[in-house]
CSV table of all heavy atoms in Angstrom, one decimal:
chain,number,residue,atom,x,y,z
N,21,GLY,N,4.5,-2.3,4.8
N,21,GLY,CA,5.2,-1.4,3.8
N,21,GLY,C,6.6,-1.1,4.2
N,21,GLY,O,7.5,-1.0,3.4
N,22,ALA,N,6.9,-0.9,5.5
N,22,ALA,CA,8.2,-0.6,6.0
N,22,ALA,C,9.1,-1.8,5.7
N,22,ALA,O,10.3,-1.7,5.4
N,22,ALA,CB,8.2,-0.3,7.4
N,23,GLY,N,8.6,-3.0,5.9
N,23,GLY,CA,9.3,-4.2,5.6
N,23,GLY,C,9.7,-4.3,4.2
N,23,GLY,O,10.9,-4.7,3.9
N,24,VAL,N,8.8,-4.0,3.3
N,24,VAL,CA,9.1,-4.0,1.9
N,24,VAL,C,10.2,-2.9,1.6
N,24,VAL,O,11.1,-3.2,0.8
N,24,VAL,CB,7.8,-3.8,1.0
N,24,VAL,CG1,8.2,-3.5,-0.4
N,24,VAL,CG2,6.9,-4.9,1.2
N,25,SER,N,10.0,-1.8,2.2
N,25,SER,CA,10.9,-0.7,1.9
N,25,SER,C,12.3,-1.1,2.4
N,25,SER,O,13.3,-0.8,1.8
N,25,SER,CB,10.5,0.6,2.7
N,25,SER,OG,11.3,1.7,2.4
N,26,ALA,N,12.4,-1.7,3.6
N,26,ALA,CA,13.7,-2.2,4.1
N,26,ALA,C,14.3,-3.2,3.2
N,26,ALA,O,15.5,-3.3,3.0
N,26,ALA,CB,13.5,-2.7,5.5
N,27,THR,N,13.5,-4.1,2.6
N,27,THR,CA,14.0,-5.1,1.7
N,27,THR,C,14.5,-4.5,0.4
N,27,THR,O,15.6,-4.9,-0.1
N,27,THR,CB,12.9,-6.2,1.4
N,27,THR,OG1,12.4,-6.7,2.6
N,27,THR,CG2,13.4,-7.3,0.5
N,28,VAL,N,13.7,-3.6,-0.1
N,28,VAL,CA,14.1,-3.0,-1.4
N,28,VAL,C,15.3,-2.1,-1.2
N,28,VAL,O,16.1,-1.9,-2.1
N,28,VAL,CB,12.9,-2.2,-1.9
N,28,VAL,CG1,13.3,-1.4,-3.1
N,28,VAL,CG2,11.7,-3.1,-2.3
N,29,GLY,N,15.4,-1.4,0.0
N,29,GLY,CA,16.5,-0.6,0.3
N,29,GLY,C,16.6,0.7,-0.6
N,29,GLY,O,15.6,1.3,-0.8
N,30,GLY,N,17.7,0.9,-1.1
N,30,GLY,CA,17.9,2.2,-1.9
N,30,GLY,C,17.7,1.9,-3.4
N,30,GLY,O,18.2,2.7,-4.2
N,31,MET,N,16.9,0.9,-3.7
N,31,MET,CA,16.7,0.7,-5.2
N,31,MET,C,15.9,1.8,-5.8
N,31,MET,O,15.2,2.5,-5.1
N,31,MET,CB,15.9,-0.6,-5.3
N,31,MET,CG,16.7,-1.9,-5.0
N,31,MET,SD,15.7,-3.3,-5.4
N,31,MET,CE,16.6,-4.6,-4.8
N,32,GLY,N,15.9,1.8,-7.1
N,32,GLY,CA,15.1,2.8,-7.8
N,32,GLY,C,14.7,2.1,-9.1
N,32,GLY,O,15.0,1.0,-9.4
N,33,LEU,N,13.9,2.9,-9.9
N,33,LEU,CA,13.5,2.4,-11.2
N,33,LEU,C,14.0,3.4,-12.2
N,33,LEU,O,14.0,4.6,-12.1
N,33,LEU,CB,11.9,2.4,-11.2
N,33,LEU,CG,11.2,1.6,-10.2
N,33,LEU,CD1,9.7,1.9,-10.3
N,33,LEU,CD2,11.4,0.1,-10.4
N,34,ALA,N,14.5,2.8,-13.3
N,34,ALA,CA,15.0,3.6,-14.4
N,34,ALA,C,14.5,3.1,-15.7
N,34,ALA,O,14.3,1.9,-15.9
N,34,ALA,CB,16.6,3.6,-14.4
N,35,GLY,N,14.2,4.0,-16.6
N,35,GLY,CA,13.7,3.6,-17.9
N,35,GLY,C,13.7,4.8,-18.8
N,35,GLY,O,14.3,5.8,-18.6
N,36,GLY,N,12.9,4.7,-19.9
N,36,GLY,CA,12.8,5.8,-20.8
N,36,GLY,C,12.3,7.1,-20.3
N,36,GLY,O,12.5,8.2,-20.8
N,37,PHE,N,11.6,7.0,-19.2
N,37,PHE,CA,11.0,8.1,-18.5
N,37,PHE,C,11.9,8.9,-17.6
N,37,PHE,O,11.7,9.9,-17.1
N,37,PHE,CB,9.8,7.7,-17.6
N,37,PHE,CG,10.1,6.6,-16.6
N,37,PHE,CD1,10.7,6.9,-15.4
N,37,PHE,CD2,10.0,5.3,-16.9
N,37,PHE,CE1,11.0,6.0,-14.5
N,37,PHE,CE2,10.4,4.3,-16.0
N,37,PHE,CZ,10.9,4.6,-14.8
N,38,GLY,N,13.1,8.3,-17.4
N,38,GLY,CA,14.1,8.8,-16.5
N,38,GLY,C,14.3,7.9,-15.3
N,38,GLY,O,14.1,6.7,-15.5
N,39,ALA,N,14.7,8.4,-14.2
N,39,ALA,CA,14.9,7.5,-13.0
N,39,ALA,C,14.1,8.1,-11.8
N,39,ALA,O,13.9,9.3,-11.7
N,39,ALA,CB,16.4,7.4,-12.7
N,40,VAL,N,13.7,7.2,-10.9
N,40,VAL,CA,13.0,7.6,-9.8
N,40,VAL,C,13.4,6.7,-8.6
N,40,VAL,O,13.5,5.5,-8.8
N,40,VAL,CB,11.4,7.5,-10.1
N,40,VAL,CG1,10.8,6.3,-9.5
N,40,VAL,CG2,10.7,8.7,-9.6
N,41,GLY,N,13.6,7.2,-7.4
N,41,GLY,CA,13.9,6.4,-6.2
N,41,GLY,C,12.6,5.9,-5.6
N,41,GLY,O,11.5,6.6,-5.6
N,42,ILE,N,12.6,4.7,-5.1
N,42,ILE,CA,11.4,4.1,-4.5
N,42,ILE,C,11.2,4.7,-3.1
N,42,ILE,O,10.1,5.1,-2.8
N,42,ILE,CB,11.5,2.6,-4.4
N,42,ILE,CG1,11.5,2.0,-5.9
N,42,ILE,CG2,10.4,2.0,-3.6
N,42,ILE,CD1,11.7,0.6,-6.0
N,43,GLY,N,12.2,4.9,-2.3
N,43,GLY,CA,12.1,5.5,-1.0
N,43,GLY,C,11.0,5.0,-0.1
N,43,GLY,O,10.9,3.8,0.1
N,44,ALA,N,10.2,5.9,0.4
N,44,ALA,CA,9.1,5.5,1.4
N,44,ALA,C,7.8,5.1,0.7
N,44,ALA,O,6.8,4.9,1.4
N,44,ALA,CB,8.9,6.7,2.3
N,45,THR,N,7.8,5.0,-0.6
N,45,THR,CA,6.5,4.7,-1.3
N,45,THR,C,5.9,3.4,-0.8
N,45,THR,O,4.6,3.4,-0.5
N,45,THR,CB,6.8,4.6,-2.8
N,45,THR,OG1,7.3,5.8,-3.3
N,45,THR,CG2,5.5,4.3,-3.6
N,46,PRO,N,6.6,2.3,-0.5
N,46,PRO,CA,5.9,1.1,0.0
N,46,PRO,C,5.3,1.4,1.4
N,46,PRO,O,4.3,0.7,1.7
N,46,PRO,CB,7.1,0.1,0.1
N,46,PRO,CG,8.1,0.6,-0.9
N,46,PRO,CD,8.0,2.1,-0.8
N,47,VAL,N,5.9,2.2,2.2
N,47,VAL,CA,5.3,2.5,3.5
N,47,VAL,C,4.0,3.2,3.4
N,47,VAL,O,3.0,2.8,4.0
N,47,VAL,CB,6.3,3.4,4.4
N,47,VAL,CG1,5.7,3.7,5.7
N,47,VAL,CG2,7.6,2.7,4.5
N,48,VAL,N,3.9,4.2,2.5
N,48,VAL,CA,2.6,4.9,2.3
N,48,VAL,C,1.6,4.0,1.6
N,48,VAL,O,0.5,3.9,2.0
N,48,VAL,CB,2.9,6.1,1.4
N,48,VAL,CG1,1.6,6.8,1.0
N,48,VAL,CG2,3.8,7.1,2.1
N,49,ALA,N,2.1,3.2,0.7
N,49,ALA,CA,1.2,2.2,0.0
N,49,ALA,C,0.6,1.2,1.0
N,49,ALA,O,-0.5,0.8,1.0
N,49,ALA,CB,1.9,1.5,-1.1
N,50,GLY,N,1.5,0.8,2.0
N,50,GLY,CA,1.0,-0.2,3.0
N,50,GLY,C,0.0,0.5,3.9
N,50,GLY,O,-1.0,-0.2,4.2
N,51,ALA,N,0.2,1.7,4.3
N,51,ALA,CA,-0.8,2.4,5.1
N,51,ALA,C,-2.2,2.6,4.4
N,51,ALA,O,-3.2,2.3,4.9
N,51,ALA,CB,-0.3,3.8,5.5
N,52,VAL,N,-2.1,2.9,3.1
N,52,VAL,CA,-3.3,3.0,2.3
N,52,VAL,C,-4.0,1.7,2.1
N,52,VAL,O,-5.2,1.6,2.3
N,52,VAL,CB,-3.0,3.7,0.9
N,52,VAL,CG1,-4.2,3.6,0.0
N,52,VAL,CG2,-2.5,5.1,1.1
N,53,ALA,N,-3.2,0.6,1.9
N,53,ALA,CA,-3.8,-0.7,1.8
N,53,ALA,C,-4.5,-1.1,3.1
N,53,ALA,O,-5.5,-1.8,3.1
N,53,ALA,CB,-2.8,-1.7,1.3
N,54,GLY,N,-3.8,-0.8,4.2
N,54,GLY,CA,-4.4,-1.1,5.5
N,54,GLY,C,-5.7,-0.4,5.7
N,54,GLY,O,-6.7,-1.0,6.2
N,55,ALA,N,-5.8,0.9,5.4
N,55,ALA,CA,-7.0,1.6,5.5
N,55,ALA,C,-8.1,1.1,4.6
N,55,ALA,O,-9.3,1.0,5.0
N,55,ALA,CB,-6.8,3.1,5.2
N,56,ALA,N,-7.7,0.7,3.4
N,56,ALA,CA,-8.7,0.1,2.4
N,56,ALA,C,-9.2,-1.2,2.9
N,56,ALA,O,-10.4,-1.5,2.8
N,56,ALA,CB,-8.0,-0.1,1.1
N,57,ALA,N,-8.4,-2.1,3.5
N,57,ALA,CA,-8.8,-3.3,4.1
N,57,ALA,C,-9.8,-3.1,5.2
N,57,ALA,O,-10.8,-3.8,5.3
N,57,ALA,CB,-7.6,-4.1,4.5
N,58,PHE,N,-9.5,-2.1,6.1
N,58,PHE,CA,-10.4,-1.8,7.2
N,58,PHE,C,-11.8,-1.4,6.6
N,58,PHE,O,-12.8,-1.8,7.1
N,58,PHE,CB,-9.8,-0.8,8.1
N,58,PHE,CG,-10.8,-0.3,9.1
N,58,PHE,CD1,-11.1,-1.2,10.2
N,58,PHE,CD2,-11.3,1.0,9.1
N,58,PHE,CE1,-12.0,-0.8,11.2
N,58,PHE,CE2,-12.2,1.4,10.1
N,58,PHE,CZ,-12.6,0.5,11.1
N,59,GLY,N,-11.7,-0.5,5.6
N,59,GLY,CA,-13.0,0.0,5.0
N,59,GLY,C,-13.8,-1.2,4.4
N,59,GLY,O,-15.0,-1.2,4.6
N,60,GLN,N,-13.2,-2.1,3.8
N,60,GLN,CA,-13.9,-3.3,3.2
N,60,GLN,C,-14.4,-4.1,4.3
N,60,GLN,O,-15.6,-4.6,4.2
N,60,GLN,CB,-12.9,-4.1,2.3
N,60,GLN,CG,-13.6,-5.3,1.7
N,60,GLN,CD,-14.7,-4.8,0.7
N,60,GLN,OE1,-14.6,-3.8,0.1
N,60,GLN,NE2,-15.7,-5.6,0.7
N,61,LEU,N,-13.7,-4.3,5.4
N,61,LEU,CA,-14.2,-5.1,6.5
N,61,LEU,C,-15.4,-4.4,7.1
N,61,LEU,O,-16.5,-5.1,7.4
N,61,LEU,CB,-13.1,-5.2,7.6
N,61,LEU,CG,-13.5,-5.9,8.9
N,61,LEU,CD1,-13.7,-7.4,8.6
N,61,LEU,CD2,-12.5,-5.7,10.0
N,62,MET,N,-15.4,-3.1,7.3
N,62,MET,CA,-16.6,-2.4,7.9
N,62,MET,C,-17.8,-2.5,6.9
N,62,MET,O,-18.9,-2.6,7.4
N,62,MET,CB,-16.2,-1.0,8.2
N,62,MET,CG,-15.1,-0.8,9.2
N,62,MET,SD,-15.4,-1.2,11.0
N,62,MET,CE,-16.5,-2.4,11.2
N,63,ARG,N,-17.5,-2.4,5.6
N,63,ARG,CA,-18.6,-2.5,4.7
N,63,ARG,C,-19.3,-3.8,4.7
N,63,ARG,O,-20.5,-3.9,4.7
N,63,ARG,CB,-18.0,-2.2,3.3
N,63,ARG,CG,-19.1,-2.3,2.2
N,63,ARG,CD,-18.4,-1.9,0.8
N,63,ARG,NE,-19.4,-2.1,-0.2
N,63,ARG,CZ,-19.5,-3.2,-1.0
N,63,ARG,NH1,-18.6,-4.1,-0.9
N,63,ARG,NH2,-20.4,-3.3,-1.9
N,64,SER,N,-18.5,-4.9,4.8
N,64,SER,CA,-19.1,-6.2,4.8
N,64,SER,C,-19.8,-6.4,6.1
N,64,SER,O,-20.9,-7.1,6.1
N,64,SER,CB,-18.1,-7.3,4.5
N,64,SER,OG,-16.9,-7.2,5.3
N,65,HIS,N,-19.3,-5.9,7.2
N,65,HIS,CA,-20.1,-6.0,8.5
N,65,HIS,C,-21.4,-5.3,8.4
N,65,HIS,O,-22.4,-5.8,8.9
N,65,HIS,CB,-19.2,-5.5,9.7
N,65,HIS,CG,-18.2,-6.4,10.1
N,65,HIS,ND1,-18.1,-6.8,11.4
N,65,HIS,CD2,-17.2,-7.0,9.5
N,65,HIS,CE1,-17.1,-7.7,11.6
N,65,HIS,NE2,-16.5,-7.8,10.4
N,66,THR,N,-21.4,-4.1,7.8
N,66,THR,CA,-22.6,-3.3,7.7
N,66,THR,C,-23.6,-4.0,6.8
N,66,THR,O,-24.8,-4.1,7.1
N,66,THR,CB,-22.3,-1.9,7.1
N,66,THR,OG1,-21.3,-1.3,7.9
N,66,THR,CG2,-23.5,-1.1,7.0
N,67,GLU,N,-23.2,-4.6,5.7
N,67,GLU,CA,-24.1,-5.4,4.8
N,67,GLU,C,-24.7,-6.5,5.5
N,67,GLU,O,-25.9,-6.8,5.4
N,67,GLU,CB,-23.3,-5.8,3.6
N,67,GLU,CG,-23.0,-4.7,2.6
N,67,GLU,CD,-22.3,-5.2,1.4
N,67,GLU,OE1,-21.9,-6.4,1.3
N,67,GLU,OE2,-22.0,-4.4,0.5
N,68,ILE,N,-23.9,-7.2,6.3
N,68,ILE,CA,-24.4,-8.4,7.1
N,68,ILE,C,-25.5,-7.9,8.1
N,68,ILE,O,-26.6,-8.5,8.2
N,68,ILE,CB,-23.3,-9.1,7.8
N,68,ILE,CG1,-22.4,-9.8,6.8
N,68,ILE,CG2,-23.9,-10.1,8.8
N,68,ILE,CD1,-21.1,-10.4,7.4
């Protein structure tokens, strides 16, 4: 997520809803995705 954040840099999203900075969102999303992947791995090990 930090890699994505560094690549995206100071970009933001703008539209009819207004504007929003991306900031650290990819870092948090990466951490959540990592936790979800671990949960799925543990679930499949338990099922086996």
Side-chain angles (χ1 to χ4, degrees):
V24 170
S25 185
T27 302
V28 172
M31 290 184 189
L33 302 172
F37 56 86
V40 99
I42 293 176
T45 303
V47 177
V48 174
V52 171
F58 174 70
Q60 183 61 36
L61 177 72
M62 297 293 26
R63 179 176 175 260
S64 48
H65 280 236
T66 302
E67 286 179 358
I68 290 169

